[in-house]
Amino acid sequence: MSLSADVFLGNETGSFPHSVLAERHPAIIKQVREAFPYGPEQHRALDALLESCTHGVIEPVPGRDWDDRYLGESWFDVPWLWSESYFYRRLLDAVGYFEAGPWQGIDPFRPSKLAELESRETDAELAALDGLAARSVEEQGAALLHGSLWGNRADLGFRLSDGEAEARDAVPDLVADDSERFWSLADGAGTLTLIADNAGRELIPDLLLLAHLLEHGRIERAVLHVKPYPYYVSDATTADVVDALRRLVRAPGQAAAYGRRLWAAMGDGRLSVRAHPFSCAPLPYADMPDDLRAELAGAESPGAGLGSAGFTVLKGDLNYRRLVGDRRWPATTPFAEVTAHFPGPVAALRTLKSEVVTGLDARTEAALVAAEGQRWRTGGTHALIQVRS
């Protein structure tokens, strides 16, 4: 018997999806409008998008290269995953990203991405790598795994100085921890595929983790999947990978050494970057196209020289929603069952920033609810490492 649960919609006033559609999206339009000296045409298009996403209905996307199953319906009455993706596609259209002209290919989120890369917080996180160098390979790996997990909340030294802190917490920050299974699958994998989430200070820890795995022979090759165009404000593109590598290479200390190793790995093919169109689709991974499914299952990707996929790691909240299906699963729904559709072994590294979650034990869920109500699902204060082998 197949599992089923209702998809998240945005039409429940006071819900997290409703707040994203009604409040966050208008704020993003304002942010983008102010970040660039756009002309009257872009301003008119952004104003029209603001009116549409708050009071209008789903309209055709220019070029007709978009799923149009919900035309004429309110943004709030269609699946939240779909309406969010549709918003970002419409936003790029509004600023002329896809059309021939002066704004073609200009990332509307680039200023905030670069500001984050150049921040003092980034300096401090990269400096932490110097202290990590004296640790054992296993300790380095554990620290870098947690750095990747927590993204820009990460102290790359995480809790090495107080390894028992998690065990003492009544409600631990890490609500599910399959770290041991993660390492058993990662070690010796032919190719580890990492499907990235955000750019900037969240992408750098992902790259550092890949550098560690390659340097110590824990994997043979790494494939980093990014978005083919800007998406969800901060999602990583190929340009963001280059910016992150340059930031590492010109940093002092161990950070530069990591950057040089990653740069060399890209040059000799041990690290490659992919930008599959499905990365920006408004659909769950259960609906991935055959070519991507074959690649992640371990088949050769024509012309890419990727070899066996081995093990796939999905980073971040959006990828988790797409992996398990953006549905109202009971929190104790087995992670292995809702990811059975995925080709090959898969891991999720995710900070909780939306309501969907699976794979928790009943005791952990009860403790979270007793301590925080439902805020633990969306506040970014808890995370999980889940693996299905």
Side-chain angles (χ1 to χ4, degrees), residues 137 140 144 208-220 254 257-258 261-262 265 270:
V137 171
Q140 290 180 39
L144 294 172
L208 295 174
L209 177 61
L210 295 181
H212 168 85
L213 292 168
L214 288 167
E215 178 188 5
H216 296 286
R218 304 182 81 160
I219 61 173
E220 296 177 11
Q254 287 295 314
Y258 275 96
R261 288 195 291 269
L262 287 162
R270 287 176 297 127

Side-chain angles (χ1 to χ4, degrees), residues 34-55:
E34 295 175 351
F36 287 93
Y38 291 122
E41 181 180 353
Q42 288 77 36
H43 287 166
R44 285 192 295 270
L46 288 169
D47 290 342
L49 177 58
L50 177 60
E51 175 64 23
S52 176
C53 73
T54 51
H55 303 295

